[in-house]
């Protein structure tokens, strides 16, 4: 058990992080929150601001016409009902449409609308610039190493490797 402090802290500089200091999950969650807030500010007013999965869904539908919601759900780690709500929301905003698959009438295929395609162009530029700006304090070689590590972790978690 860690040693308890005798006086309460008055600022975050007075705090040690206990076991969290050496826990990857703490840093990943914290960085995720900060990155998400920053990205939401940059996307203010866009139909893909706030929430998870909208940007990936928009870009995947734009890049892969006819993609099935189940494929995107696997990529963004969403369950079937959450993915359904996400598609409903994006369809109601006029960003994509769904059609019944000609190969399997139980399956849906997603297609980008003109409005969605225009937003995808904007979002690609914003996301790319935001990533550069947010992590500009990390040297490029370290960013490449971190990206490699996170890409491998993601691919394993998502079942891609």
């Amino acid at each position: 058990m860690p040693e308890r402090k005798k006086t309460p802290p008055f600022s975050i500089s007075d705090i040690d992080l206990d076991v969290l200091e050496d826990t990857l999950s703490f840093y990943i969650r914290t960085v995720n929150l900060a990155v998400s807030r920053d990205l939401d500010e940059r996307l203010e007013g866009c139909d893909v601001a706030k929430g998870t999965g909208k940007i990936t869904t928009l870009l995947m539908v734009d890049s892969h016409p006819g993609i099935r919601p189940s494929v995107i759900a696997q990529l963004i780690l969403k369950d079937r009902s959450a993915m359904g709500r996400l598609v409903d929301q994006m369809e109601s905003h006029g960003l994509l449409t769904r059609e019944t698959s000609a190969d399997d009438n139980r399956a849906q295929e997603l297609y980008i609308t003109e409005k969605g395609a225009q937003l995808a162009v904007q979002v690609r530029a914003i996301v790319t610039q935001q990533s550069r700006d947010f992590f500009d304090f990390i040297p490029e070689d370290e960013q490449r190493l971190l990206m490699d590590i996170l890409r491998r972790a993601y691919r394993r978690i998502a079942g891609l490797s």
Side-chain angles (χ1 to χ4, degrees):
M1 185 165 183
E3 180 185 328
R4 293 190 184 257
K5 306 298 182 211
K6 293 181 182 20
T7 59
F10 293 106
S11 74
I12 62 171
S13 62
D14 298 332
I15 297 203
D16 68 70
L17 293 174
D18 200 292
V19 297
L20 299 176
E21 185 69 41
D22 297 312
T23 308
L24 278 171
S25 59
F26 170 77
Y27 293 107
I28 289 170
R29 281 191 307 271
T30 304
V31 170
N32 177 53
L33 286 170
V35 168
S36 295
R37 284 180 189 147
D38 184 69
L39 186 56
D40 281 342
E41 286 176 18
R42 291 171 188 244
L43 292 169
E44 186 69 37
C46 292
D47 289 326
V48 292
K50 302 202 188 307
T52 59
K54 294 181 217 170
I55 291 172
T56 306
T57 300
L58 179 75
L59 297 179
M60 291 303 97
V61 173
D62 188 47
S63 298
H64 305 282
I67 192 170
R68 292 185 176 176
S70 59
V71 173
I72 299 171
Q74 186 177 355
L75 287 172
I76 61 176
L77 309 175
K78 293 252 187 216
D79 63 32
R80 185 182 200 104
S81 61
M83 191 67 214
R85 287 188 301 273
L86 182 67
V87 170
D88 288 344
Q89 184 181 25
M90 294 182 76
E91 190 175 35
S92 73
H93 287 136
L95 302 175
L96 54 84
T97 61
R98 52 180 139 194
E99 297 178 15
T100 301
S101 171
D103 300 336
D104 180 355
N105 64 359
R106 297 169 297 161
Q108 295 178 344
E109 297 174 345
L110 302 177
Y111 295 92
I112 201 80
T113 63
E114 184 60 36
K115 178 181 177 182
Q118 289 172 2
L119 182 57
V121 170
Q122 276 183 280
V123 167
R124 282 185 183 97
I126 292 168
V127 167
T128 302
Q129 188 63 49
Q130 188 261 352
S131 186
R132 270 192 230 116
D133 293 347
F134 193 88
F135 295 104
D136 70 346
F137 62 95
I138 300 174
E140 280 189 41
D141 60 324
E142 292 179 14
Q143 284 189 37
R144 282 192 297 275
L145 177 60
L146 181 57
M147 181 69 80
D148 179 59
I149 292 166
L150 292 174
R151 185 180 289 123
R152 283 185 281 143
Y154 166 76
R155 294 185 67 77
R156 181 158 187 245
I157 291 164
L160 298 171
S161 60

